[in-house]
Amino acid sequence: MAEVKVLCSYETVKLKIPFERKYLDAIYTIPNVSFTHGVILNHGASGDMNFHQLVSLTEFLASNGILCLRFTCKGPNLVYRIRAYRAVVEYLKSSKEYKVKSWFLGGRSMGSRAAACIVKQCKDTADEAFVQGLICLSFPLHPAKQHSKLRSEDLLHVRHPILLVSGSADEMCDKNLLESILKKIPVATRVYWVEGAGHAMEVKGQITENIMAEINAEVLSWIKKIL
C-alpha cells in the first residue's frame, strides 16, 4: 500500500438534487484548496450516503484535493437507481458551483452497478469527456452462490479506465470469474483485492479503520495515475 499524506482540510455541504418529483439528499465534501476533478459515490442496496466506507473515502479524497459528492437513493431496484444517478450527473453538468473538469463515477455494491451503467452510456456522446473513470467498491458480480447469474454486461461495455476494489472472500464476486471477465474489456482495468474481506469489506481480526485506510490509499493512487 502506498503511503499518502493528507494535504488539506475540507468542509461538508448538504444539498438536495432534483430527481423526477422528489429530491435526492447529497453531501459535497470540499477541499480547502483549488481542485479540478471530482468523485461521485453512491451506496449499496441498503444503507445510505453515510455508510462508513463512503464517508471515509470521501473525507480522505477531499483531504487530498479532490472534490467529492455522495448521495442517497433508496429506490426499489437497479433501474430506479440508474435514473437517480443520471439525475445527479445532469445536475453536476449544469451546476456552476464548482469548476470541475471531469468526474470519476463510482459506488459501492449496487451503487457501483448504477455507476457502471452511466459510464457505459457516456461512450461516443457529449458526456464522454465529463467522465474520467469508474470506481467500483465491492462490485456484486453475481448473487451469492449463483455464479451463473453474472451482472457483468455494463462492465464489458465501459470504455473508460476502471478500478475495482473487492474482498478476496466476497461471496458476491468470485475472484477467478471477475479476473476472466476483465480480460475481455479493451480498456485499462485494475482490481485491488483486500485479502480475506467479504462483501462488507470486513476481515476477522482486523480493525475496520485500517482496512478503510488501505482502500482509500489505493483509490487515490489510482486516480492520480489516471490524471
Side-chain angles (χ1 to χ4, degrees):
M1 179 180 67
E3 182 179 355
V4 181
K5 296 182 179 179
V6 172
L7 299 179
C8 64
S9 60
Y10 58 84
E11 64 175 324
T12 59
V13 175
K14 295 181 179 180
L15 67 154
K16 291 186 178 293
I17 298 175
F19 171 52
E20 297 180 354
R21 297 183 178 181
K22 59 184 72 175
Y23 290 88
L24 300 171
D25 290 322
I27 294 178
Y28 275 123
T29 309
I30 310 161
N32 70 351
V33 296
S34 61
F35 50 82
T36 55
H37 300 281
V39 171
I40 308 169
L41 291 172
N42 184 230
H43 56 88
S46 59
D48 56 25
M49 64 183 172
N50 294 316
F51 183 75
H52 64 93
Q53 186 178 8
L54 300 189
V55 174
S56 176
L57 180 56
T58 54
E59 291 180 349
F60 181 78
L61 294 178
S63 69
N64 282 274
I66 299 173
L67 176 67
C68 294
L69 182 140
R70 64 186 195 270
F71 70 96
T72 293
C73 174
K74 296 187 177 182
N77 53 49
L78 179 62
V79 173
Y80 184 89
R81 184 74 66 96
I82 291 169
R83 295 205 311 270
Y85 211 120
R86 168 56 66 185
V88 172
V89 168
E90 294 301 322
Y91 173 85
L92 292 174
K93 283 167 55 183
S94 62
S95 174
K96 306 298 182 183
E97 292 175 293
Y98 305 106
K99 294 181 179 180
V100 178
K101 291 181 180 178
S102 59
W103 292 82
F104 292 87
L105 275 57
R108 184 192 120 71
S109 197
M110 181 190 281
S112 69
R113 290 185 68 194
C117 182
I118 298 298
V119 175
K120 177 198 71 174
Q121 293 172 357
C122 290
K123 179 187 175 185
D124 298 326
T125 72
D127 291 342
E128 193 163 20
F130 178 86
V131 175
Q132 193 73 44
L134 172 65
I135 300 170
C136 298
L137 309 173
S138 296
F139 187 85
L141 183 61
H142 52 75
K145 299 181 181 180
Q146 299 183 57
H147 292 183
S148 62
K149 296 183 178 181
L150 293 177
R151 299 160 169 167
S152 56
E153 181 178 356
D154 289 327
L155 278 181
L156 288 169
H157 292 91
V158 167
R159 293 300 178 263
H160 289 77
I162 304 171
L163 171 67
L164 296 108
V165 179
S166 292
S168 65
D170 189 341
E171 66 279 8
M172 299 178 71
C173 187
D174 180 80
K175 187 173 182 178
N176 292 332
L177 268 177
L178 179 61
E179 291 182 340
S180 67
I181 286 169
L182 294 184
K183 291 177 181 178
K184 303 175 184 179
I185 302 176
V187 292
T189 61
R190 171 166 172 71
V191 185
Y192 184 79
W193 294 104
V194 180
E195 191 60 37
H199 193 66
M201 284 298 177
E202 296 176 349
V203 180
K204 186 176 181 180
Q206 291 195 28
I207 299 172
T208 300
E209 287 74 13
N210 291 345
I211 299 172
M212 294 301 100
E214 176 185 347
I215 293 170
N216 295 348
E218 175 60 29
V219 173
L220 178 61
S221 176
W222 178 79
I223 288 174
K224 287 184 172 182
K225 289 176 182 177
I226 299 302
L227 297 177

mmCIF file of all heavy atoms in Angstrom, residues 38-44 54 57 69-71 81 85 89 103-116 118-119 131 133-137 163 219 222:
data_model
loop_
_atom_site.group_PDB
_atom_site.id
_atom_site.type_symbol
_atom_site.label_atom_id
_atom_site.label_comp_id
_atom_site.label_asym_id
_atom_site.label_seq_id
_atom_site.Cartn_x
_atom_site.Cartn_y
_atom_site.Cartn_z
ATOM 1 N N GLY A 38 -13.392 15.599 -9.648
ATOM 2 C CA GLY A 38 -14.267 15.176 -8.575
ATOM 3 C C GLY A 38 -14.604 13.701 -8.644
ATOM 4 O O GLY A 38 -14.340 13.027 -9.646
ATOM 5 N N VAL A 39 -15.202 13.209 -7.559
ATOM 6 C CA VAL A 39 -15.632 11.817 -7.453
ATOM 7 C C VAL A 39 -17.074 11.793 -6.964
ATOM 8 O O VAL A 39 -17.418 12.485 -5.994
ATOM 9 C CB VAL A 39 -14.740 11.022 -6.478
ATOM 10 C CG1 VAL A 39 -15.332 9.633 -6.212
ATOM 11 C CG2 VAL A 39 -13.322 10.890 -7.022
ATOM 12 N N ILE A 40 -17.918 11.016 -7.635
ATOM 13 C CA ILE A 40 -19.309 10.800 -7.217
ATOM 14 C C ILE A 40 -19.416 9.380 -6.662
ATOM 15 O O ILE A 40 -18.935 8.438 -7.298
ATOM 16 C CB ILE A 40 -20.282 10.944 -8.392
ATOM 17 C CG1 ILE A 40 -20.067 12.260 -9.139
ATOM 18 C CG2 ILE A 40 -21.726 10.833 -7.910
ATOM 19 C CD1 ILE A 40 -20.821 12.322 -10.464
ATOM 20 N N LEU A 41 -20.070 9.212 -5.502
ATOM 21 C CA LEU A 41 -20.223 7.890 -4.911
ATOM 22 C C LEU A 41 -21.659 7.674 -4.440
ATOM 23 O O LEU A 41 -22.297 8.582 -3.910
ATOM 24 C CB LEU A 41 -19.272 7.714 -3.728
ATOM 25 C CG LEU A 41 -17.779 7.645 -4.056
ATOM 26 C CD1 LEU A 41 -16.961 7.674 -2.774
ATOM 27 C CD2 LEU A 41 -17.452 6.406 -4.869
ATOM 28 N N ASN A 42 -22.133 6.453 -4.632
ATOM 29 C CA ASN A 42 -23.468 6.049 -4.193
ATOM 30 C C ASN A 42 -23.357 4.740 -3.422
ATOM 31 O O ASN A 42 -22.474 3.928 -3.685
ATOM 32 C CB ASN A 42 -24.396 5.901 -5.400
ATOM 33 C CG ASN A 42 -25.828 5.577 -5.017
ATOM 34 O OD1 ASN A 42 -26.411 4.639 -5.550
ATOM 35 N ND2 ASN A 42 -26.403 6.322 -4.094
ATOM 36 N N HIS A 43 -24.255 4.528 -2.496
ATOM 37 C CA HIS A 43 -24.204 3.400 -1.571
ATOM 38 C C HIS A 43 -24.777 2.114 -2.188
ATOM 39 O O HIS A 43 -25.223 2.095 -3.344
ATOM 40 C CB HIS A 43 -24.986 3.749 -0.306
ATOM 41 C CG HIS A 43 -26.401 4.153 -0.598
ATOM 42 N ND1 HIS A 43 -27.440 3.266 -0.689
ATOM 43 C CD2 HIS A 43 -26.937 5.378 -0.856
ATOM 44 C CE1 HIS A 43 -28.554 3.911 -0.973
ATOM 45 N NE2 HIS A 43 -28.283 5.200 -1.077
ATOM 46 N N GLY A 44 -24.775 1.049 -1.400
ATOM 47 C CA GLY A 44 -25.311 -0.231 -1.839
ATOM 48 C C GLY A 44 -26.821 -0.309 -1.721
ATOM 49 O O GLY A 44 -27.505 0.698 -1.515
ATOM 50 N N LEU A 54 -18.111 4.989 2.528
ATOM 51 C CA LEU A 54 -18.235 6.156 1.648
ATOM 52 C C LEU A 54 -17.783 7.428 2.358
ATOM 53 O O LEU A 54 -17.124 8.274 1.757
ATOM 54 C CB LEU A 54 -19.679 6.299 1.161
ATOM 55 C CG LEU A 54 -20.256 5.143 0.358
ATOM 56 C CD1 LEU A 54 -21.613 5.537 -0.227
ATOM 57 C CD2 LEU A 54 -19.321 4.688 -0.747
ATOM 58 N N LEU A 57 -13.922 7.359 2.575
ATOM 59 C CA LEU A 57 -13.268 7.599 1.290
ATOM 60 C C LEU A 57 -13.410 9.046 0.843
ATOM 61 O O LEU A 57 -12.440 9.667 0.394
ATOM 62 C CB LEU A 57 -13.847 6.659 0.226
ATOM 63 C CG LEU A 57 -13.258 6.798 -1.181
ATOM 64 C CD1 LEU A 57 -11.743 6.635 -1.177
ATOM 65 C CD2 LEU A 57 -13.912 5.783 -2.125
ATOM 66 N N LEU A 69 -18.747 14.072 -4.034
ATOM 67 C CA LEU A 69 -20.186 14.164 -3.799
ATOM 68 C C LEU A 69 -20.716 12.748 -3.593
ATOM 69 O O LEU A 69 -20.472 11.865 -4.414
ATOM 70 C CB LEU A 69 -20.911 14.828 -4.958
ATOM 71 C CG LEU A 69 -22.420 14.991 -4.739
ATOM 72 C CD1 LEU A 69 -22.915 16.332 -5.269
ATOM 73 C CD2 LEU A 69 -23.223 13.859 -5.396
ATOM 74 N N ARG A 70 -21.399 12.551 -2.490
ATOM 75 C CA ARG A 70 -22.070 11.266 -2.268
ATOM 76 C C ARG A 70 -23.558 11.543 -2.090
ATOM 77 O O ARG A 70 -23.944 12.607 -1.618
ATOM 78 C CB ARG A 70 -21.488 10.533 -1.057
ATOM 79 C CG ARG A 70 -21.671 11.212 0.276
ATOM 80 C CD ARG A 70 -20.916 10.455 1.384
ATOM 81 N NE ARG A 70 -21.316 10.842 2.714
ATOM 82 C CZ ARG A 70 -20.769 11.815 3.414
ATOM 83 N NH1 ARG A 70 -19.775 12.524 2.900
ATOM 84 N NH2 ARG A 70 -21.217 12.080 4.636
ATOM 85 N N PHE A 71 -24.396 10.587 -2.498
ATOM 86 C CA PHE A 71 -25.839 10.822 -2.436
ATOM 87 C C PHE A 71 -26.583 9.569 -2.038
ATOM 88 O O PHE A 71 -26.083 8.444 -2.172
ATOM 89 C CB PHE A 71 -26.355 11.358 -3.778
ATOM 90 C CG PHE A 71 -26.345 10.366 -4.915
ATOM 91 C CD1 PHE A 71 -27.486 9.643 -5.240
ATOM 92 C CD2 PHE A 71 -25.199 10.163 -5.662
ATOM 93 C CE1 PHE A 71 -27.492 8.731 -6.292
ATOM 94 C CE2 PHE A 71 -25.188 9.257 -6.722
ATOM 95 C CZ PHE A 71 -26.336 8.540 -7.033
ATOM 96 N N ARG A 81 -32.365 3.190 -9.539
ATOM 97 C CA ARG A 81 -31.087 3.729 -9.071
ATOM 98 C C ARG A 81 -30.303 4.363 -10.220
ATOM 99 O O ARG A 81 -29.661 5.407 -10.038
ATOM 100 C CB ARG A 81 -30.265 2.605 -8.430
ATOM 101 C CG ARG A 81 -28.935 3.054 -7.806
ATOM 102 C CD ARG A 81 -29.160 3.794 -6.509
ATOM 103 N NE ARG A 81 -29.717 2.942 -5.486
ATOM 104 C CZ ARG A 81 -28.990 2.320 -4.541
ATOM 105 N NH1 ARG A 81 -27.688 2.491 -4.491
ATOM 106 N NH2 ARG A 81 -29.571 1.580 -3.623
ATOM 107 N N TYR A 85 -28.979 8.179 -10.502
ATOM 108 C CA TYR A 85 -27.570 8.504 -10.758
ATOM 109 C C TYR A 85 -27.462 9.437 -11.958
ATOM 110 O O TYR A 85 -26.687 10.398 -11.961
ATOM 111 C CB TYR A 85 -26.769 7.219 -11.001
ATOM 112 C CG TYR A 85 -25.321 7.302 -10.560
ATOM 113 C CD1 TYR A 85 -24.825 6.427 -9.601
ATOM 114 C CD2 TYR A 85 -24.447 8.245 -11.100
ATOM 115 C CE1 TYR A 85 -23.500 6.499 -9.180
ATOM 116 C CE2 TYR A 85 -23.123 8.317 -10.690
ATOM 117 C CZ TYR A 85 -22.663 7.437 -9.738
ATOM 118 O OH TYR A 85 -21.343 7.512 -9.333
ATOM 119 N N VAL A 89 -25.745 13.240 -12.265
ATOM 120 C CA VAL A 89 -24.803 13.640 -13.316
ATOM 121 C C VAL A 89 -25.303 14.882 -14.052
ATOM 122 O O VAL A 89 -24.545 15.832 -14.298
ATOM 123 C CB VAL A 89 -24.565 12.477 -14.301
ATOM 124 C CG1 VAL A 89 -23.819 12.952 -15.558
ATOM 125 C CG2 VAL A 89 -23.777 11.363 -13.616
ATOM 126 N N TRP A 103 -15.227 14.045 -13.853
ATOM 127 C CA TRP A 103 -15.600 13.303 -12.647
ATOM 128 C C TRP A 103 -15.289 11.819 -12.790
ATOM 129 O O TRP A 103 -15.429 11.248 -13.873
ATOM 130 C CB TRP A 103 -17.089 13.455 -12.375
ATOM 131 C CG TRP A 103 -17.520 14.828 -11.977
ATOM 132 C CD1 TRP A 103 -17.783 15.883 -12.805
ATOM 133 C CD2 TRP A 103 -17.745 15.300 -10.646
ATOM 134 N NE1 TRP A 103 -18.154 16.987 -12.083
ATOM 135 C CE2 TRP A 103 -18.140 16.666 -10.749
ATOM 136 C CE3 TRP A 103 -17.653 14.726 -9.380
ATOM 137 C CZ2 TRP A 103 -18.455 17.433 -9.630
ATOM 138 C CZ3 TRP A 103 -17.960 15.497 -8.265
ATOM 139 C CH2 TRP A 103 -18.354 16.834 -8.396
ATOM 140 N N PHE A 104 -14.918 11.209 -11.685
ATOM 141 C CA PHE A 104 -14.881 9.747 -11.575
ATOM 142 C C PHE A 104 -16.223 9.326 -10.990
ATOM 143 O O PHE A 104 -16.636 9.844 -9.947
ATOM 144 C CB PHE A 104 -13.749 9.297 -10.653
ATOM 145 C CG PHE A 104 -12.378 9.543 -11.196
ATOM 146 C CD1 PHE A 104 -11.744 10.756 -11.004
ATOM 147 C CD2 PHE A 104 -11.717 8.553 -11.913
ATOM 148 C CE1 PHE A 104 -10.475 10.987 -11.498
ATOM 149 C CE2 PHE A 104 -10.445 8.778 -12.418
ATOM 150 C CZ PHE A 104 -9.818 9.992 -12.217
ATOM 151 N N LEU A 105 -16.902 8.410 -11.656
ATOM 152 C CA LEU A 105 -18.186 7.918 -11.169
ATOM 153 C C LEU A 105 -17.953 6.603 -10.443
ATOM 154 O O LEU A 105 -17.170 5.758 -10.909
ATOM 155 C CB LEU A 105 -19.157 7.713 -12.322
ATOM 156 C CG LEU A 105 -19.963 8.932 -12.797
ATOM 157 C CD1 LEU A 105 -19.054 10.080 -13.206
ATOM 158 C CD2 LEU A 105 -20.885 8.555 -13.949
ATOM 159 N N GLY A 106 -18.620 6.432 -9.314
ATOM 160 C CA GLY A 106 -18.399 5.202 -8.569
ATOM 161 C C GLY A 106 -19.487 4.923 -7.566
ATOM 162 O O GLY A 106 -20.480 5.648 -7.448
ATOM 163 N N GLY A 107 -19.277 3.876 -6.820
ATOM 164 C CA GLY A 107 -20.234 3.495 -5.797
ATOM 165 C C GLY A 107 -19.840 2.186 -5.166
ATOM 166 O O GLY A 107 -18.840 1.553 -5.544
ATOM 167 N N ARG A 108 -20.650 1.782 -4.205
ATOM 168 C CA ARG A 108 -20.436 0.522 -3.509
ATOM 169 C C ARG A 108 -21.579 -0.438 -3.824
ATOM 170 O O ARG A 108 -22.750 -0.051 -3.821
ATOM 171 C CB ARG A 108 -20.375 0.764 -2.001
ATOM 172 C CG ARG A 108 -20.055 -0.486 -1.199
ATOM 173 C CD ARG A 108 -20.286 -0.319 0.280
ATOM 174 N NE ARG A 108 -21.267 -1.270 0.767
ATOM 175 C CZ ARG A 108 -21.066 -2.576 0.887
ATOM 176 N NH1 ARG A 108 -19.929 -3.107 0.518
ATOM 177 N NH2 ARG A 108 -22.023 -3.369 1.331
ATOM 178 N N SER A 109 -21.250 -1.670 -4.185
ATOM 179 C CA SER A 109 -22.233 -2.715 -4.461
ATOM 180 C C SER A 109 -23.230 -2.246 -5.534
ATOM 181 O O SER A 109 -22.824 -1.917 -6.636
ATOM 182 C CB SER A 109 -22.932 -3.143 -3.165
ATOM 183 O OG SER A 109 -23.586 -4.374 -3.337
ATOM 184 N N MET A 110 -24.538 -2.163 -5.213
ATOM 185 C CA MET A 110 -25.492 -1.727 -6.229
ATOM 186 C C MET A 110 -25.141 -0.348 -6.780
ATOM 187 O O MET A 110 -25.334 -0.076 -7.969
ATOM 188 C CB MET A 110 -26.918 -1.698 -5.673
ATOM 189 C CG MET A 110 -27.950 -1.267 -6.721
ATOM 190 S SD MET A 110 -29.606 -0.943 -6.076
ATOM 191 C CE MET A 110 -30.231 -2.604 -5.917
ATOM 192 N N GLY A 111 -24.618 0.512 -5.941
ATOM 193 C CA GLY A 111 -24.217 1.838 -6.407
ATOM 194 C C GLY A 111 -23.157 1.774 -7.485
ATOM 195 O O GLY A 111 -23.136 2.602 -8.405
ATOM 196 N N SER A 112 -22.276 0.781 -7.408
ATOM 197 C CA SER A 112 -21.245 0.638 -8.436
ATOM 198 C C SER A 112 -21.836 0.098 -9.738
ATOM 199 O O SER A 112 -21.359 0.436 -10.826
ATOM 200 C CB SER A 112 -20.113 -0.272 -7.946
ATOM 201 O OG SER A 112 -20.530 -1.613 -7.809
ATOM 202 N N ARG A 113 -22.871 -0.715 -9.639
ATOM 203 C CA ARG A 113 -23.558 -1.186 -10.855
ATOM 204 C C ARG A 113 -24.225 -0.014 -11.572
ATOM 205 O O ARG A 113 -24.160 0.090 -12.807
ATOM 206 C CB ARG A 113 -24.610 -2.248 -10.512
ATOM 207 C CG ARG A 113 -24.057 -3.572 -10.050
ATOM 208 C CD ARG A 113 -25.173 -4.585 -9.852
ATOM 209 N NE ARG A 113 -25.784 -4.957 -11.120
ATOM 210 C CZ ARG A 113 -26.944 -5.611 -11.222
ATOM 211 N NH1 ARG A 113 -27.632 -5.919 -10.130
ATOM 212 N NH2 ARG A 113 -27.429 -5.917 -12.407
ATOM 213 N N ALA A 114 -24.868 0.861 -10.812
ATOM 214 C CA ALA A 114 -25.506 2.032 -11.414
ATOM 215 C C ALA A 114 -24.464 2.928 -12.063
ATOM 216 O O ALA A 114 -24.657 3.424 -13.181
ATOM 217 C CB ALA A 114 -26.290 2.805 -10.349
ATOM 218 N N ALA A 115 -23.347 3.128 -11.375
ATOM 219 C CA ALA A 115 -22.272 3.963 -11.934
ATOM 220 C C ALA A 115 -21.738 3.359 -13.227
ATOM 221 O O ALA A 115 -21.477 4.076 -14.201
ATOM 222 C CB ALA A 115 -21.154 4.117 -10.907
ATOM 223 N N ALA A 116 -21.570 2.044 -13.257
ATOM 224 C CA ALA A 116 -21.063 1.376 -14.462
ATOM 225 C C ALA A 116 -21.993 1.588 -15.646
ATOM 226 O O ALA A 116 -21.548 1.807 -16.779
ATOM 227 C CB ALA A 116 -20.876 -0.118 -14.194
ATOM 228 N N ILE A 118 -24.037 4.152 -16.122
ATOM 229 C CA ILE A 118 -23.939 5.549 -16.567
ATOM 230 C C ILE A 118 -22.661 5.759 -17.367
ATOM 231 O O ILE A 118 -22.669 6.418 -18.421
ATOM 232 C CB ILE A 118 -23.992 6.507 -15.369
ATOM 233 C CG1 ILE A 118 -25.326 6.378 -14.633
ATOM 234 C CG2 ILE A 118 -23.764 7.937 -15.831
ATOM 235 C CD1 ILE A 118 -26.540 6.731 -15.452
ATOM 236 N N VAL A 119 -21.545 5.214 -16.894
ATOM 237 C CA VAL A 119 -20.278 5.358 -17.618
ATOM 238 C C VAL A 119 -20.374 4.686 -18.987
ATOM 239 O O VAL A 119 -19.898 5.229 -19.993
ATOM 240 C CB VAL A 119 -19.109 4.782 -16.801
ATOM 241 C CG1 VAL A 119 -17.817 4.816 -17.606
ATOM 242 C CG2 VAL A 119 -18.929 5.565 -15.504
ATOM 243 N N VAL A 131 -16.666 12.268 -17.967
ATOM 244 C CA VAL A 131 -16.294 11.124 -17.132
ATOM 245 C C VAL A 131 -14.810 10.814 -17.285
ATOM 246 O O VAL A 131 -14.297 10.718 -18.402
ATOM 247 C CB VAL A 131 -17.133 9.885 -17.495
ATOM 248 C CG1 VAL A 131 -16.665 8.669 -16.703
ATOM 249 C CG2 VAL A 131 -18.606 10.150 -17.243
ATOM 250 N N GLY A 133 -13.328 8.174 -15.197
ATOM 251 C CA GLY A 133 -13.138 6.757 -14.923
ATOM 252 C C GLY A 133 -14.231 6.223 -14.027
ATOM 253 O O GLY A 133 -15.128 6.955 -13.583
ATOM 254 N N LEU A 134 -14.158 4.916 -13.735
ATOM 255 C CA LEU A 134 -15.173 4.204 -12.958
ATOM 256 C C LEU A 134 -14.526 3.562 -11.735
ATOM 257 O O LEU A 134 -13.506 2.879 -11.861
ATOM 258 C CB LEU A 134 -15.840 3.130 -13.820
ATOM 259 C CG LEU A 134 -16.805 2.161 -13.140
ATOM 260 C CD1 LEU A 134 -18.031 2.893 -12.608
ATOM 261 C CD2 LEU A 134 -17.221 1.046 -14.105
ATOM 262 N N ILE A 135 -15.125 3.784 -10.565
ATOM 263 C CA ILE A 135 -14.634 3.211 -9.313
ATOM 264 C C ILE A 135 -15.709 2.296 -8.735
ATOM 265 O O ILE A 135 -16.811 2.751 -8.404
ATOM 266 C CB ILE A 135 -14.291 4.309 -8.295
ATOM 267 C CG1 ILE A 135 -13.207 5.241 -8.853
ATOM 268 C CG2 ILE A 135 -13.837 3.696 -6.975
ATOM 269 C CD1 ILE A 135 -12.980 6.480 -8.007
ATOM 270 N N CYS A 136 -15.396 1.014 -8.613
ATOM 271 C CA CYS A 136 -16.366 0.030 -8.113
ATOM 272 C C CYS A 136 -15.868 -0.569 -6.808
ATOM 273 O O CYS A 136 -14.840 -1.256 -6.776
ATOM 274 C CB CYS A 136 -16.563 -1.094 -9.134
ATOM 275 S SG CYS A 136 -17.240 -0.558 -10.718
ATOM 276 N N LEU A 137 -16.589 -0.313 -5.740
ATOM 277 C CA LEU A 137 -16.276 -0.886 -4.437
ATOM 278 C C LEU A 137 -17.223 -2.050 -4.181
ATOM 279 O O LEU A 137 -18.438 -1.880 -4.215
ATOM 280 C CB LEU A 137 -16.435 0.176 -3.348
ATOM 281 C CG LEU A 137 -15.705 1.511 -3.573
ATOM 282 C CD1 LEU A 137 -16.102 2.524 -2.503
ATOM 283 C CD2 LEU A 137 -14.197 1.312 -3.589
ATOM 284 N N LEU A 163 -11.431 0.928 -11.917
ATOM 285 C CA LEU A 163 -10.820 0.396 -10.701
ATOM 286 C C LEU A 163 -11.883 -0.385 -9.944
ATOM 287 O O LEU A 163 -12.969 0.143 -9.675
ATOM 288 C CB LEU A 163 -10.283 1.514 -9.804
ATOM 289 C CG LEU A 163 -9.825 1.065 -8.404
ATOM 290 C CD1 LEU A 163 -8.593 0.162 -8.494
ATOM 291 C CD2 LEU A 163 -9.551 2.261 -7.503
ATOM 292 N N VAL A 219 -7.371 3.863 -3.850
ATOM 293 C CA VAL A 219 -8.231 4.653 -4.742
ATOM 294 C C VAL A 219 -7.532 5.944 -5.144
ATOM 295 O O VAL A 219 -7.505 6.313 -6.328
ATOM 296 C CB VAL A 219 -9.592 4.952 -4.081
ATOM 297 C CG1 VAL A 219 -10.401 5.912 -4.952
ATOM 298 C CG2 VAL A 219 -10.370 3.655 -3.853
ATOM 299 N N TRP A 222 -4.702 5.312 -7.620
ATOM 300 C CA TRP A 222 -5.205 5.007 -8.968
ATOM 301 C C TRP A 222 -5.674 6.293 -9.669
ATOM 302 O O TRP A 222 -5.385 6.511 -10.834
ATOM 303 C CB TRP A 222 -6.340 3.991 -8.879
ATOM 304 C CG TRP A 222 -6.963 3.640 -10.187
ATOM 305 C CD1 TRP A 222 -6.483 2.779 -11.139
ATOM 306 C CD2 TRP A 222 -8.190 4.174 -10.715
ATOM 307 N NE1 TRP A 222 -7.343 2.721 -12.209
ATOM 308 C CE2 TRP A 222 -8.399 3.569 -11.978
ATOM 309 C CE3 TRP A 222 -9.130 5.067 -10.230
ATOM 310 C CZ2 TRP A 222 -9.513 3.842 -12.756
ATOM 311 C CZ3 TRP A 222 -10.246 5.353 -11.008
ATOM 312 C CH2 TRP A 222 -10.425 4.748 -12.265
#
